[in-house]
Amino acid sequence: ICFKIFIKKLKLYSALCESALHTPYDSLKLGMLSVLSTLSGTIAIKQYFSSAPGTAATTARSFDLVKLAQECCYHNNRGIAAHGVRILTNISASCQEKDLLPLEQDAVFGLEALLVLCSQDDSPGAQATLKITLTCMVKLVKCRPHLSQSVVESLLTQLHSAQDAARILMCHCLAAIAMQLPVLADGMLGDLMDLYKLIGRSATDKKQELLVSLATVIFVSSQKALSSEVKTVIKQQLENASNGWTAYRIARQASRMGNHDMARELYQSLLTQVASEHFYFWLNSLKEFSHAEQCLTGLQEDNYSSALSCIAEALKSYHKGIASLTAASTPLNPLSFQCGFVKLRIDLLQAFSQLICTCNSLKTSPPPAIATTIAMTSGNDLQRCGRISNQMKHSMEEFRNLATRYGDLYQSSFDADSATLRNVELQQQSCLLISHAIEALILDPESTSFQEYSSNGTAHVESEYERRMMSVFNRVLEEVESLNRKYAPVSYLHTACLCNAVIALLKVPLSFQRYFFQKLQSTSIKLALSPSPRNPAEPIAVQNNQQLALKVEGVVQHGSKPGLFRKIQSVCLNVSSVLQSKSGQDYKIPIDNMTNEMEQRVEPHNDYFSTQFLLNFVILGTHNITVESSVIDSNGIVWKTGPKTTIFVKSLEDPYSQQVRLQQQQGQPPSQQQQQRTAYSRF
């Protein structure tokens, strides 16, 4: 059956190609090309170019699609030409194992022709075609890196003569390419700066947008550090032709690209241009964070005392910044992700500083004279090194705890973009890397395995920051593996390897990603519980021989762009109860379960959901009920978004049981009516 379906699909593609080749009507050809270009971006293109069992060679059927795309990529209709180059790009991207040099050249030439044609036109149709062209350029360079130089040169050449709207899109394309591959050489920076000076003479809205886009390209091309000349030009143009919002956006891009020196100066200049104290504290916190990261750029390997001083200076600025960030938060905008990310960064820097001090203690605080005897008595050879063994164990646990906290921050960031989530994941991996290095070098070198960490270098990177972090990860792992099970139990080579690993991680400028500044997707859940008390501090009265039917209703609230990054498939509700205080009676009540732990998953309908829980409270006293919600996206990933709601329940003894207990205490037998009621009460 699968084989027959496969053959039918191939015949359908072939029929579409043949019809599009021979039809004289452009509108009909445009519709068929739209279908083919969409299919070419799926796995169907691989099936089309692969040999099926029992069928002829692929040359005949693939020739029709290639011929159609090659003919259409130079068509006088922009839409047809765009679909033609899109098909060529998708073929080159999907069939990377094949030698498709002629197709690659046709794709590049077609893209360059469309770039020249559409960049001179300001109409909506031309801009839509230009977006398709630039998207294809990014995709082609990503899968065929050897074409990046020619594509970037074409973009830079056309950037000078293009319309402003086209220039903005072209700058976005250049930045996307440069974040994947280091293709912007130092010689190209001069052309970008000349264009930046030319643009800065005008103050129109398009020019303001173009200033931000072009500054982003400059920051990407200068990932390590900006020269003083470049910073001077950018600040002069901002003073002459820009407003405060443009300067803030450029500073924000500098923070994202790791140019913290430039970002700090821009944030400093904006402090006196805001009318709200919350904005002032927000900018002041960003200035302090940028200054803190700038302090870490002076780190050098094998200079550990200087590293401790730099980390201490960075922590000083970070503590100032977190105070301002807390003052900038409001009930409507609590800045929970920002505060959590910065607090984790502070704790990580403190852990790095403590690890360097621990490594230095091998020199400053040598083991006592009886350390060898203690090691022989305990059978632990590591005790020969003195207290450093316990300190290293504490450091390893601290880094693992930090990794867990980064994981919790990841799970709570449902609305974050993929780049922000990847950044959090890289911070988590850095903590796991250091804890693994401590274990492999010092604590347990015999049982440590490197297989689970060997695949990090093969993952595809999406940014220069990720590329540099992955490079550090691989280098540290190689050094740790080379020293593993050597020079036991602890040597200066081991401690130097750990300190150099810390310095190498800190020398990569931290990237503050988009979600730190901007929330494109907004999702929140509102819960309502019934029954609910009139006063939140008052408990709900329930008899201990009855069950409480707790109804949980909720509404999913969205922002202006619902489902931009991920969508809610279902809502997971967790209900738990904890006994806070028992009643004063000292008698015992037989119980089967002392606590309530329940979980239910419900699918929202029109953003509304409801469910019920039956809870037992057989123990007399006050119980604390907590209802916590989390969401599950379309990929089955659980996100701890909250909220968490709490109510109090007071479990009371039912009147009949109370009367029976009092009679038993007084030595009186229960009456016949009471005995009969006891029999019926079981039902």
Side-chain angles (χ1 to χ4, degrees), residues 525 527 571-574 627-631 639-643:
I525 295 177
L527 295 180
V571 178
C572 182
L573 296 170
N574 291 276
V627 180
E628 185 176 6
S629 65
S630 56
V631 301
W639 302 84
K640 298 179 181 179
T641 58

Side-chain angles (χ1 to χ4, degrees), residues 151-170:
V151 171
V152 169
E153 289 178 356
S154 301
L155 286 169
L156 289 174
T157 302
Q158 197 61 30
L159 199 60
H160 291 273
S161 59
Q163 297 290 328
D164 287 342
R167 283 175 172 175
I168 296 172
L169 298 176
M170 293 164 67

Side-chain angles (χ1 to χ4, degrees), residues 591-604:
I591 55 173
D592 297 328
N593 192 7
M594 297 182 62
T595 60
N596 294 286
E597 294 285 345
M598 298 183 182
E599 177 180 316
Q600 287 191 30
R601 296 187 178 185
V602 292
E603 293 187 6

Side-chain angles (χ1 to χ4, degrees), residues 1 6 25 47 62 76 78 82 113 118 352 385 459 594 634 657:
I1 295 176
F6 179 78
Y25 304 106
Q47 295 179 348
S62 62
N76 55 7
R78 286 193 302 255
C118 298
F352 282 152
C385 301
M594 297 182 62
S634 54
S657 298

Side-chain angles (χ1 to χ4, degrees), residues 261-549:
D261 188 22
M262 183 72 199
R264 181 184 60 82
E265 295 181 12
L266 293 178
Y267 291 136
Q268 178 68 43
S269 65
L270 292 172
L271 284 176
T272 58
Q273 300 184 28
V274 291
S276 169
E277 64 176 4
H278 295 291
F279 292 156
Y280 172 82
F281 286 124
W282 166 249
L283 291 174
N284 189 62
S285 66
L286 294 178
K287 183 203 73 174
E288 295 294 343
F289 299 153
S290 299
H291 179 67
E293 291 300 326
Q294 184 64 25
C295 293
L296 300 175
T297 57
L299 294 172
Q300 296 180 355
E301 291 188 1
D302 301 326
N303 191 351
Y304 308 139
S305 59
S306 175
L308 289 174
S309 301
C310 292
I311 295 175
E313 189 67 25
L315 283 171
K316 181 180 177 181
S317 295
Y318 260 119
H319 283 296
K320 291 180 180 178
I322 193 65
S324 294
L325 187 63
T326 305
S329 61
T330 61
L332 295 178
N333 188 20
L335 302 176
S336 55
F337 174 81
Q338 291 84 345
C339 291
F341 186 81
V342 172
K343 288 177 181 177
L344 279 172
R345 182 64 174 176
I346 292 173
D347 293 342
L348 181 60
L349 291 178
Q350 290 175 340
F352 282 152
S353 178
Q354 183 62 39
L355 179 59
I356 295 177
C357 292
T358 301
C359 293
N360 288 339
S361 68
L362 190 63
K363 300 178 182 179
T364 59
S365 180
I370 62 172
T372 304
T373 306
I374 296 175
M376 294 176 63
T377 305
S378 63
N380 185 4
D381 195 33
L382 191 60
Q383 295 295 329
R384 285 195 300 154
C385 301
R387 63 175 186 173
I388 190 175
S389 58
N390 294 327
Q391 291 177 338
M392 283 295 179
K393 185 177 180 181
H394 176 73
S395 292
M396 185 185 71
E397 293 175 352
E398 188 173 3
F399 279 106
R400 287 182 176 176
N401 182 40
L402 284 171
T404 303
R405 291 171 58 191
Y406 271 115
D408 294 339
L409 180 65
Y410 184 100
Q411 283 191 315
S412 63
S413 305
F414 176 77
D415 294 323
D417 57 286
S418 58
T420 302
L421 293 177
R422 181 56 181 159
N423 190 4
V424 175
E425 193 176 9
L426 287 173
Q427 307 306 314
Q428 182 187 31
Q429 289 178 359
S430 66
C431 297
L432 293 175
L433 174 68
I434 297 298
S435 67
H436 172 76
I438 295 173
E439 184 180 18
L441 291 177
I442 298 175
L443 296 180
D444 194 6
E446 296 297 330
S447 61
T448 304
S449 174
F450 291 86
Q451 295 180 356
E452 56 182 321
Y453 295 93
S454 60
S455 61
N456 286 340
T458 60
H460 179 73
V461 297
E462 296 290 343
S463 64
E464 178 65 20
Y465 174 72
E466 183 179 357
R467 184 182 299 106
R468 296 178 66 179
M469 288 292 287
M470 297 300 293
S471 176
V472 172
F473 291 168
N474 294 330
R475 187 171 75 250
V476 170
L477 283 174
E478 290 175 0
E479 294 176 358
V480 171
E481 192 170 7
S482 65
L483 291 174
N484 186 34
R485 303 177 186 177
K486 295 181 181 179
Y487 316 109
V490 180
S491 70
Y492 297 132
L493 293 176
H494 295 154
T495 57
C497 179
L498 290 175
C499 292
N500 289 332
V502 169
I503 292 174
L505 289 171
L506 291 178
K507 284 177 66 176
V508 181
L510 180 66
S511 175
F512 292 94
Q513 291 294 334
R514 180 189 292 273
Y515 193 59
F516 195 87
F517 303 95
Q518 193 177 17
K519 195 174 183 179
L520 296 181
Q521 174 181 315
S522 178
T523 309
S524 61
I525 295 177
K526 298 293 183 182
L527 295 180
L529 308 182
S530 58
S532 59
R534 295 180 180 179
N535 187 355
E538 294 180 357
I540 301 172
V542 178
Q543 293 186 5
N544 66 333
N545 64 343
Q546 297 178 351
Q547 289 182 320
L548 174 66

Side-chain angles (χ1 to χ4, degrees), residues 79-94:
I80 294 177
H83 287 303
V85 296
R86 187 180 177 188
I87 292 174
L88 291 177
T89 301
N90 289 334
I91 293 174
S92 301
S94 301

